[in-house]
Amino acid sequence: MDFDDTAEEAAFRAEARAWLDANAERLQSGERAPGLAEGRTSPDLIKRAQAWQAKKADAGWACITWPKPYGGRGATSIQNMIWNQEQNRYKTPSDIFGIGQGMLGPTIMVHGNDEQKQRYLRPMLRGEEIWCQLFSEPAAGSDLAGLRTSAVRDGDEWIINGQKIWTTGAQYCKWGMIVTRTDPNAEKHKGITYFIVDMQAPGIDIRPIKQINGASGFNEVFFTDVRVSDKNRVGAVNEGWRGAITTLMNERASIGGGAGGGPDFNDLVTLAKLSDCDGEPAFADPAVRQRLARFYIRLKGLQYTGYRTQTALSRGATPGPESSIGKLVGAPLRQEMAGFAIDLQGATGAMIDHDAAPQEGVWQQSYLGTPGLRLAGGTDEILRNIIAERVLGLPPDIRADKGLAFKDVPTGPKNT
Amino acid sequence: MNLDFSDDQKLLKQTAREYLSEHAPLSLCRAVLESNAAYSEALWKGIAALGWLGTAIPEEYGGAGFGRLELAVLAEEMGRCLAPIPFSSSAYLATEALVQFGSAAQKRTYLPKLATGEAIGCFAHAEKPGEPGAGSIATAFTKGKLTGNKLPVPDGDVAHFAIVTAKSGDDIALTIVDLTATGVERAAVRSIDPSRSLARVQFAGAPAQLLAGAPTGWTGVEQLLDRAAVLMAFEQLGSATRSFEITREFTLGRYAFGRPIASFQAVKHRLADLYVEIELARSNAYYAAWALSTNAPELRFAACGARASASDAFEVMSREMIQLHGGVGYTWEYDCHLFYRRAKYLAAILGSANHWREHLIERLDA
Ligand SMILES: Cc1cc2nc3c(=O)[nH]c(=O)nc-3n(C[C@H](O)[C@H](O)[C@H](O)COP(=O)(O)OP(=O)(O)OC[C@H]3O[C@@H](n4cnc5c(N)ncnc54)[C@H](O)[C@@H]3O)c2cc1C
């Protein structure tokens, strides 16, 4: 057991740090990266993120875990972790490429054909073209395979009709990957086909949805007779579920800790020290100290669980459903920490104003943002199912739609 | 970075698991619990013969000269089988105290006997309800004599000698005392887990020595407790994991409403959550094992995290074990109560999870 970097890891860290020092500004202690507090994406932020991504790509620091032929450096997951640890110390623009680079790119590498790999991967890596994931529908969220958006073949093209929802980034993305129903007479997993769509294609209507934090990160996307070339089909007809699974596996791995930035334990301690309770800092209160210690131990438990996974991966294990622990623990933990932090502030906690609220209102932002973390990329309940069924080998839930053709699957009043 | 045991350590684990599944089935724990015996002498002799008691004792004192990671591996296996022996008292506390703080003469006197299992050591610390701190130790050491009462002392009824915390002048010191000497009176007290014993030990001018190499004051006590906490966390982890496995098996085999109860989400989700608790505790324990084995300064925090996490994980697991077994889980015949008792026993004897959490915050702030 060794907690420190090996010689190679230390050399890699030094190399990463040297490049970052030369190309970005270090965060001072207590300082936060820009953009995080607002949780919004402006055109300016997109431009800055793209410029930073291009700079990294030119120097070989973009998508470092991608294989070399696709422009990555074939880095190990430990190297990737080191890179992220280092990059987090700098004032870099927030990342809006994660869905493409972390989930969709790897899917194209596995299920796409040569032409698709040639055309799409490099601009994705460079951040020139941003991607979105068109999976969820109003009637198909956790039960993703219950999707209804249809694709009907018309010669060398397909015609798509239907509605997607909660599509992060649809308003600024160049490409989307969409799962569609191509055979309603087959069982629900067996009639699905996967495509790449141009988000500017005629017939696509994108309507931003306002989230509870006031931002509009996600959208509704309506498809009316949208034409997609068969060349943009990823994988075989009616076998799109296999590709979707690849995307979802990569989603779980890339969401990992589920922390998504935001205030951390040190911020919480600072807050407990500056919050006054009848002349004493809240930090002196044993009840507060107990809660703080619980948060710390959970955060550390998560972090070391990540290190154990990295150790296993570096010894040749393949990433498994265990990575569901990260988000299942991390997301509710962040939510609970935010609620607790606001409690510490007393009446002041009711303010979210940047200038008036303690610590620039980061905890209030986090309080309003974390409910989304518990939903996006698999809800807590779905993650528990995954752990129960795939890690612990417990029986699958009983499926009322088993063996039925998709068109005969019962639906509730809200699904029609 | 590498947060896992080595292949050799895993081999040791496997060997230990095989030996213990044959020689220490849960029925052995139950037999001790139901008898008047304080521990299983047969198992004690068996593991002594395998050299386990000398795991972390240097070779020059008759030990195997391995490190703390090997001891952690064994601790986890002891936990898995709810070993009804004074392993924690003797190996994590008394032996650690001597290896860390004993003079050469003290080591020569005690360590070879500890390594062969001929002597059992224990740690006498608590005196009254609450968490002992520097201010709450009344037992006094003056001019080579110890006076005061310790209650409860884990394994104090069977140990041959004790490491005793005592006031020495204005300081707190670690002392060592033979429990068979004159001036020592001891009696077993009933334990919440009768497979592990507790005693009342009274010192009336009993001859004792200071542990020569211990730092003065409370520091030495804290260092000893930190070290033991990590090893104890592994024992708790082993027990929690076994409890989880038994519970999982049970829910797969028990049918209700025409289905295994493990197919109901309320049960599946509970098991998923328990698994997560145990895995987080395991991760905290691994980090602490690294800190212990390398004497890293991080041990101060790591020990707290490992101990609090493991105490909580084992306690909640043992509670839910009974719940998920239903009525049979509340019977004497089923093994659930062995885990339930052991969880609280282990959590109590080295200080509660709350106590370790308070330590953690205090130390993070220092
Ligand atoms: C911030 C954010 C960003 C998102 N970005 C995207 C995106 O970019 N692209 C995209 O395609 N989607 C995206 N999503 C959608 C997300 O994947 C879904 O919201 C999520 O999968 C849940 O689906 P749902 O909203 O339909 O809820 P439902 O599936 O209707 O769930 C409602 C409740 O029922 C529970 N439930 C459902 N099924 C089960 C079950 N089998 N067992 C137990 N409980 C169950 C759920 O856990 C939940 O508590 C995003 C969501 C959020 C919040």
Side-chain angles (χ1 to χ4, degrees):
Chain A
M1 222 173 266
D2 187 1
F3 211 65
D4 300 321
D5 286 344
T6 62
E8 291 116 81
E9 286 160 9
F12 179 82
R13 192 184 291 280
E15 194 190 340
R17 198 174 289 181
W19 187 81
L20 285 160
D21 270 336
N23 291 281
E25 209 182 317
R26 238 175 208 271
L27 287 169
Q28 303 303 312
S29 93
E31 198 182 11
R32 270 174 281 275
L36 272 185
E38 300 86 52
R40 289 156 213 259
T41 314
S42 65
D44 173 57
L45 210 60
I46 294 171
K47 277 210 194 80
R48 278 196 285 149
Q50 285 180 307
W52 173 240
Q53 188 64 27
K55 201 171 190 176
K56 286 199 287 185
D58 289 338
W61 290 107
C63 300
I64 62 170
T65 55
W66 282 21
K68 285 194 178 134
Y70 301 133
R73 51 163 78 196
T76 64
S77 59
I78 291 191
Q79 286 176 328
N80 193 42
M81 186 179 79
I82 292 173
W83 166 257
N84 287 330
Q85 284 170 350
E86 292 302 319
Q87 190 181 232
N88 286 344
R89 299 178 207 264
Y90 294 80
K91 270 189 217 178
T92 58
S94 48
D95 186 1
I96 50 171
F97 311 108
I99 292 178
Q101 296 172 350
M103 296 151 55
L104 303 176
T107 305
I108 292 176
M109 289 175 209
V110 177
H111 301 279
N113 57 36
D114 285 342
E115 211 175 308
Q116 291 164 346
K117 292 178 196 170
Q118 288 289 334
R119 164 63 188 84
Y120 297 115
L121 293 176
R122 198 158 283 269
M124 179 190 281
L125 170 128
R126 297 189 59 81
E128 287 159 5
E129 295 175 346
I130 312 176
W131 289 64
C132 60
Q133 175 199 21
L134 299 153
F135 274 34
S136 304
E137 296 185 11
S142 300
D143 182 13
L144 171 60
L147 60 94
R148 287 137 189 267
T149 294
S150 68
V152 177
R153 190 159 198 152
D154 181 27
D156 283 347
E157 291 188 327
W158 293 79
I159 302 169
I160 299 182
N161 277 289
Q163 183 197 347
K164 294 288 172 179
I165 197 168
W166 321 128
T167 317
T168 301
Q171 70 275 48
Y172 54 76
C173 283
K174 166 73 181 148
W175 301 104
M177 284 183 78
I178 185 170
V179 278
T180 60
R181 169 104 16 225
T182 39
D183 183 0
N185 294 310
E187 274 183 65
K188 76 175 178 183
H189 294 94
K190 295 187 177 155
I192 291 173
T193 305
Y194 206 169
F195 295 99
I196 293 169
V197 288
D198 182 341
M199 294 303 287
Q200 278 80 51
I204 295 186
D205 178 16
I206 299 168
R207 299 183 201 160
I209 304 174
K210 196 165 176 178
Q211 302 165 185
I212 70 174
N213 65 356
S216 291
F218 54 35
N219 304 266
E220 290 180 290
V221 185
F222 295 87
F223 290 81
T224 313
D225 294 332
V226 175
R227 289 187 165 265
V228 176
S229 162
D230 189 56
K231 285 188 180 149
N232 276 1
R233 173 165 50 78
V234 179
V237 174
N238 291 333
E239 282 178 24
W241 187 244
R242 289 178 51 211
I245 291 291
T246 305
T247 306
L248 296 174
M249 296 283 276
N250 280 290
E251 179 165 23
R252 275 197 291 280
S254 70
I255 289 179
D264 65 13
F265 181 76
N266 292 330
D267 295 314
L268 198 52
V269 171
T270 305
L271 178 68
K273 288 184 173 175
L274 66 81
S275 297
D276 178 291
C277 299
D278 194 19
E280 289 276 338
F283 186 70
D285 178 348
V288 168
R289 294 163 75 84
Q290 285 291 320
R291 283 295 287 282
L292 287 173
R294 283 180 188 276
F295 289 135
Y296 177 89
I297 291 168
R298 268 186 117 59
L299 288 166
K300 289 293 169 184
L302 262 189
Q303 183 186 345
Y304 306 143
T305 300
Y307 292 174
R308 281 172 55 211
T309 307
Q310 296 301 337
T311 301
L313 293 178
S314 73
R315 292 180 179 178
T318 44
E322 292 82 3
S323 56
S324 303
I325 290 186
K327 200 177 91 82
L328 176 58
V329 176
L333 179 59
R334 294 289 170 159
Q335 186 175 32
E336 210 190 313
M337 283 170 65
F340 177 68
I342 294 175
D343 286 348
L344 284 179
Q345 299 169 23
T348 318
M351 297 188 291
I352 197 168
D353 190 281
H354 212 267
D355 297 324
Q359 297 175 312
E360 298 163 9
V362 281
W363 294 107
Q364 285 75 7
Q365 294 290 350
S366 178
Y367 186 72
L368 295 181
T370 43
L373 279 183
R374 293 182 57 190
L375 297 165
T379 64
D380 291 1
E381 291 72 23
I382 295 300
L383 296 176
R384 285 194 177 92
N385 268 357
I386 289 171
I387 291 173
E389 295 175 15
R390 309 226 196 109
V391 181
L392 305 178
L394 304 180
D397 280 5
I398 287 180
R399 305 205 184 278
D401 53 10
K402 202 167 174 200
L404 294 182
F406 179 72
K407 61 177 173 38
D408 299 327
V409 170
T411 57
K414 298 217 162 174
N415 286 9
T416 44
Chain B
M1 192 208 64
N2 164 14
L3 204 53
D4 197 3
F5 288 100
S6 70
D7 288 344
D8 281 350
Q9 287 153 358
K10 287 179 182 166
L11 194 65
L12 173 66
K13 184 189 190 82
Q14 195 191 325
T15 313
R17 173 127 4 144
E18 280 162 18
Y19 179 82
L20 292 171
S21 55
E22 191 181 333
H23 298 274
L26 291 174
S27 57
L28 181 72
C29 175
R30 175 179 291 275
V32 172
L33 179 111
E34 290 176 342
S35 71
N36 288 324
Y39 69 105
S40 163
E41 283 187 49
L43 181 61
W44 187 254
K45 290 200 176 116
I47 66 156
L50 290 165
W52 293 357
L53 292 167
T55 305
I57 296 177
E59 281 168 290
E60 54 176 318
Y61 299 114
F66 288 131
R68 300 304 176 288
L69 293 176
E70 285 74 13
L71 195 51
V73 163
L74 292 177
E76 186 176 344
E77 294 307 311
M78 293 296 171
R80 276 188 70 86
C81 67
L82 299 179
I85 46 176
F87 192 71
S88 55
S89 296
S90 203
Y92 323 156
L93 285 153
T95 306
E96 280 293 298
L98 280 156
V99 170
Q100 288 295 305
F101 305 130
S103 66
Q106 288 167 335
K107 288 181 185 177
R108 268 198 310 275
T109 309
Y110 292 101
L111 289 177
K113 286 187 190 156
L114 282 167
T116 58
E118 193 186 329
I120 295 173
C122 70
F123 180 56
H125 187 38
E127 301 185 3
K128 53 190 175 194
E131 303 287 359
S136 49
I137 306 289
T139 297
F141 174 80
T142 7
K143 298 190 191 131
K145 304 261 194 244
L146 208 52
T147 309
N149 299 326
K150 292 287 183 181
L151 179 73
V153 180
D155 302 304
D157 50 338
V158 295
H160 301 90
F161 70 93
I163 304 294
V164 183
T165 50
K167 252 205 313 229
S168 168
D170 291 338
D171 258 346
I172 296 291
L174 288 169
T175 64
I176 183 164
V177 59
D178 276 306
L179 292 174
T180 49
T182 48
V184 180
E185 265 192 57
R186 51 178 170 164
V189 293
R190 288 178 63 204
S191 167
I192 190 173
D193 174 7
S195 69
R196 297 296 321 277
S197 76
L198 293 173
R200 176 197 301 275
V201 183
Q202 296 174 303
F203 303 106
Q209 291 176 5
L210 290 175
L211 271 193
T216 52
W218 187 245
T219 318
V221 180
E222 289 207 313
Q223 285 180 13
L224 179 60
L225 285 167
D226 285 351
R227 301 180 74 83
V230 179
L231 297 162
M232 192 68 98
F234 275 91
E235 183 162 335
Q236 293 171 307
L237 201 58
S239 304
T241 307
R242 181 81 181 278
S243 166
F244 180 82
E245 289 167 8
I246 292 171
T247 308
R248 176 186 165 279
E249 279 298 315
F250 178 85
T251 60
L252 284 166
R254 170 78 178 164
Y255 277 60
F257 304 97
R259 300 156 57 175
I261 57 169
S263 70
F264 295 112
Q265 258 191 11
V267 174
K268 284 165 70 173
H269 285 191
R270 192 103 53 100
L271 287 170
D273 284 342
L274 290 166
Y275 166 80
V276 166
E277 285 315 305
I278 294 171
E279 286 305 300
L280 294 182
R282 179 174 294 282
S283 302
N284 278 310
Y286 279 27
Y287 175 68
W290 163 78
L292 175 66
S293 68
T294 57
N295 280 315
E298 287 89 340
L299 179 63
R300 288 164 58 70
F301 317 115
C304 299
R307 168 72 178 164
S309 203
S311 291
D312 284 349
F314 186 18
E315 185 173 337
V316 68
M317 182 61 234
S318 69
R319 258 191 242 158
E320 296 307 300
M321 182 185 203
I322 298 178
Q323 178 64 22
L324 291 170
H325 274 71
V328 297
Y330 190 60
T331 63
W332 188 265
E333 273 133 289
Y334 269 68
D335 289 331
C336 303
H337 68 114
L338 305 182
F339 289 89
Y340 190 60
R341 293 169 188 282
R342 183 62 68 85
K344 216 54 197 170
Y345 177 93
L346 292 182
I349 59 170
L350 221 51
S352 71
N354 282 347
H355 184 59
W356 286 94
R357 280 189 285 266
E358 172 54 34
H359 268 331
L360 173 65
I361 293 301
E362 200 179 277
R363 291 171 179 187
L364 283 173
D365 193 41

